[in-house]
Amino acid sequence: MSSPASTATTQSKHAGKYLTVVLDNEAYGIAVLKVREIIRMQKITPVPQMPEFVKGVINLRGRVIPVVDLRVKFGLKAEFAERTCIVVVQVKLPNDTLVQMGLIVDSVEEVVHLPAEEIEPTPEFGTRVDTTYLLGMAKVKGQVKTLLDIDRVVAPETMQSIATNAHS
């Protein structure tokens, strides 16, 4: 059990603006500072020998960016709808290298400002997502939104293999 002081520190550290996205009717928050842009779905070029959730790469204004399907990553059925889009985020690798990558989400909702008191630590149970990916849970307009630690959502070793393959 964490002490109240450490919980408060964790919450205030995560306070700020989040882009809320939807996956399978569940809302997730991604720190706005990590988001670079939101683009429509486009042709994704597959890359061989990648994990199933890595759909491939896209060419974004001359840069090759890996694309991850968050539905598949979280064990949900992969499906695309009219509002499916790619959120381009900047991820920090364990070696402190910053890389951009695309996250396929069902839809983008809004940007919300979350004060520390609206964020609770992640519960130890009852969620479909491995809790190491989570910063916490936020209460927004009566709904609970799961805040994602985007640097951890995509396993560092996966990013490393994508980066290596993209540059080779």
Side-chain angles (χ1 to χ4, degrees):
M1 206 62 202
S2 61
S3 69
S6 69
T7 304
T9 310
T10 305
Q11 289 169 319
S12 60
K13 188 174 78 182
H14 300 315
K17 286 189 160 79
Y18 287 84
L19 174 71
T20 58
V21 299
V22 176
L23 292 172
D24 199 27
N25 297 319
E26 294 293 324
Y28 296 89
I30 301 171
V32 163
L33 294 174
K34 297 280 185 190
V35 177
R36 291 291 160 256
E37 60 187 299
I38 300 162
I39 57 176
R40 287 194 323 265
M41 274 307 284
Q42 54 185 273
K43 184 179 178 337
I44 299 172
T45 306
V47 178
Q49 299 182 340
M50 284 287 127
E52 187 187 351
F53 60 87
V54 178
K55 291 298 168 202
V57 294
I58 56 172
N59 179 343
L60 188 62
R61 292 185 293 286
R63 289 194 325 272
V64 175
I65 296 181
V67 177
V68 168
D69 189 334
L70 280 187
R71 275 179 159 264
V72 177
K73 176 72 181 162
F74 293 164
L76 305 168
K77 190 162 72 60
E79 56 184 48
F80 298 125
E82 191 183 318
R83 298 186 60 202
T84 299
C85 59
I86 299 172
V87 177
V88 179
V89 294
Q90 187 142 354
V91 181
K92 186 186 250 182
L93 298 178
N95 64 5
D96 284 344
T97 308
L98 293 174
V99 295
Q100 288 197 352
M101 59 178 311
L103 305 174
I104 299 173
V105 299
D106 292 355
S107 63
V108 171
E109 282 187 326
E110 61 183 342
V111 172
V112 293
H113 176 74
L114 298 175
E117 59 273 10
E118 295 290 311
I119 301 172
E120 293 189 11
T122 308
E124 295 299 316
F125 61 91
T127 171
R128 294 183 290 204
V129 181
D130 177 351
T131 57
T132 56
Y133 303 150
L134 307 181
L135 295 172
M137 310 301 268
K139 299 178 294 283
V140 181
K141 299 177 192 148
Q143 288 185 308
V144 175
K145 301 195 188 280
T146 305
L147 303 182
L148 298 176
D149 181 342
I150 218 64
D151 293 336
R152 284 190 160 155
V153 165
V154 185
E157 61 276 9
T158 305
M159 280 311 301
Q160 215 60 63
S161 67
I162 292 171
T164 308
N165 285 339
H167 297 299
S168 56

